[in-house]
Structures are given as C-alpha cells and as structure tokens.
Amino acid sequence: MRIENPSIVSALTALSVELQHGIALSQMTSLGIGGTTDLLRLKRHESIPDLLKLLDANGIPHKFLGGGSNLLVGDGELPFVALQLVRPEPDVVIEGNFAKVDAAADLGRTVTFCAKNDLGGMEGLIGVPGTVGGALRMNAGAYGMQIGSYVREVKLYRAAGRKIEILSGEQVSFEYRHTSFAPDDMMLAVTLELPAKPFKEILQGIRICNEKRRSSQPLGQKSAGCIFKNPPGASAGRMIDELGLKGHSVGDARVSDRHANFFVNAGKASARDMLTLIADVRERVHEAFGVGLENEVVVWNA
Ligand code: EPU
C-alpha cells in the first residue's frame, strides 16, 4: 500500500514519522519472504495516537513490525502499511535490579547488556533473534525460562482506548507463547526485574544455551524459528521428524534437516510455498498422531 497524498505525507513529517516508500518486507524478515509496502518509522512514542488517528481517518490499514523474526508475510503488493519503532539511544537503562528497555531494542544485545551489569535470568533467550517488543508480545522463552516472568511494567499503545498506557506485570497474563495483549496493541517499552548474578556466572549460562541451540537448530539459515507451537506434553519437532519429513519441501520452502519444527527458506521461497508446506505438514501430523498443530509463526496477509 502506498501513501502518496501530499497532505498525509506532510502530516507524517510533522509527527516525526519517516516514510519509506515501497519496502520489500522480505528484506526485513528472518525468513526472507514478504511483499512490498510503505514503511513508517516512528521516532517518538508520544506521536503514535495522532499517527493512528491520521491513518484511520484516511482508511489506511497498518500492522506493527518488530524485528520480523517470527513472521511470515504474504507475497506481492500488501494491503497495509508497516509501522516500526526507531531504536532510541540508549535503548536499555539499568537502575538497580531493573532494566528499562525500549521495545525496539535487540533482544540478544539486551540480554548481554544486562549480563554486563550483573543481571541474569534471561540466558535462555540468547540466540533468539528479534526485538524486546516482539519477545514481550509472544512471551518468548527457551530452556525453561520465559520473558514474562521478569516483566514488572509495560508501556504500550492500546488500540482499544487509542492511547498510551502503563500496565503492571500483574495486569498482563503470560502463557506459553501467548499473552493477554490485544493483537493491535503496540509494545513501546518494558521494565524487567532481573536477579543479580555475577557476570561470569551469567556468561557460563549463555555459553551453555548457545551451544545447545547451535547443536539443535539451523541458525545460519533463513527461518522464523519454530513454525508450530508444541502441543501440551509433546514436541512438534519430534513428531514431524518421526514422520520422516526432514528435507520435505515445496519449492524452496523446506523442513530443516537439523530441527523438524524449523522450516527454512532455502532460496527463493514464496509465502505461498511456505504456507503450502505448513498445511501439508499439519495434515500429515494430524493423520498420524491425531494432533492439530497450531502456528507459532505469525502470518500476515498470506
Ligand atoms: N526433536 C527431534 N527431532 C527434531 C527436533 C526435536 O527428535 O527434529 C526432539 C529433541 O531431540 C528433543 C525434543 O524433540 O528430545 C524437543 O526438542 P528441542 O529441545 O529442540 O525443543 P523444542 O520443543 O523442539 C522448544 C521451543 C524452542 C526453544 C527450544 C529450547 C517451541 C515450539 N519451541 O523447542 O523455541 O528454542 O524449546 O528451549 O516451543 C521458537 O519459539 O521459535 C523456538 C525455536
């Protein structure tokens, strides 16, 4: 979708929003898949309510883009614009056991920055690509921890009330890869309360998690992490593997040889290829195990 109306363009400038025309979202997603649209880069949280009023008044649909690491975007010209926060400097501020983190901060860099300040707890998230805002929305987790456990306060734009609000951690429910945020809420910043630990000890934990991840996941390849959620008490990856589906492909969309719940873009996969592969694997798992796998990956317009 393109914004060409000069009065909208100048209103965006007045709101400190940078308009980038015709951005291929394939360049902004870890899967390397996605069509084209205008990208609106937001420099000030405070301008978001006015920006969304402007978009609504002009009938311009939008979606919030974080780090693009858990996202499958449809092919071709997209019928919405993408909004993305510009990362401020500094993006993480430490006060005692609290880390105040902008939603646009890189997750891995945040984990290591906190570690250097002797704050641990998030070692499991090392190696998970994406932003802190994306991790928060999905309640990202690995190796027995999840980010939600450390959340004390969230600053967000709430689409329902059309304003910026601050919620305490207790007001949000964090479940396995799911939160009580509405789909059109936009994460802006989070305060984490982290356990004090000596840097050396945290580093050891980080090394162990890094090693486990390297040995079991296809880190160098284009993927969106796990495609399906694990059903209660079972592993989607193990079930897909047991069906002998590693390497199974549709076009360049392929079930990873290393971890069967990672589907990789081995070349020029389209969203259509990836969706066909997802549907095919889901059906085979259902036939064999009677389990309906749910997407973990977020799908836009595909
Ligand atoms: N397994 C296989 N074959 C495979 C993959 C896994 O047999 O191809 C077996 C493993 O040997 C293991 C079991 O299945 O016995 C579980 O595998 P793994 O430890 O890799 O964990 P997972 O359940 O597949 C979950 C998360 C990952 C997270 C890891 C580590 C989900 C959907 N996946 O994977 O998160 O990194 O645990 O904690 O919850 C993600 O969210 O995108 C993601 C990758």
Side-chain angles (χ1 to χ4, degrees), residues 108-252:
R109 279 192 53 232
T110 301
V111 175
T112 48
F113 185 83
C114 292
K116 282 179 193 159
N117 285 275
D118 298 316
L119 292 179
M122 300 219 290
E123 293 85 335
L125 289 177
I126 203 74
V128 175
T131 60
V132 168
L136 180 64
R137 156 167 290 291
M138 286 295 295
N139 190 21
Y143 305 116
M145 60 77 57
Q146 53 180 25
I147 192 168
S149 318
Y150 300 106
V151 173
R152 294 298 165 259
E153 205 170 83
V154 180
K155 180 184 176 193
L156 74 171
Y157 170 78
R158 296 214 99 174
R162 293 177 165 236
K163 58 178 200 278
I164 292 176
E165 288 179 27
I166 309 269
L167 299 180
S168 71
E170 290 87 60
Q171 289 174 279
V172 183
S173 88
F174 291 99
E175 290 149 44
Y176 167 64
R177 301 294 195 273
H178 184 263
T179 59
S180 52
F181 299 119
D184 46 3
D185 286 345
M186 183 178 195
M187 306 298 111
L188 301 178
V190 61
T191 302
L192 303 168
E193 185 178 3
L194 300 169
K197 258 194 215 177
F199 176 55
K200 273 193 178 164
E201 214 176 287
I202 304 172
L203 201 60
Q204 222 172 356
I206 285 178
R207 286 205 180 112
I208 292 169
C209 293
N210 252 335
E211 196 37 55
K212 281 192 198 162
R213 204 178 283 285
R214 254 199 301 269
S215 66
S216 63
Q217 301 182 357
L219 299 188
Q221 288 177 277
K222 291 181 185 167
S223 85
C226 285
I227 284 287
F228 300 112
K229 291 184 187 179
N230 282 338
S235 159
R238 182 182 291 154
M239 289 192 282
I240 301 167
D241 193 0
E242 279 176 12
L243 293 177
L245 293 175
K246 279 183 170 168
H248 179 51
S249 59
V250 174
D252 279 337

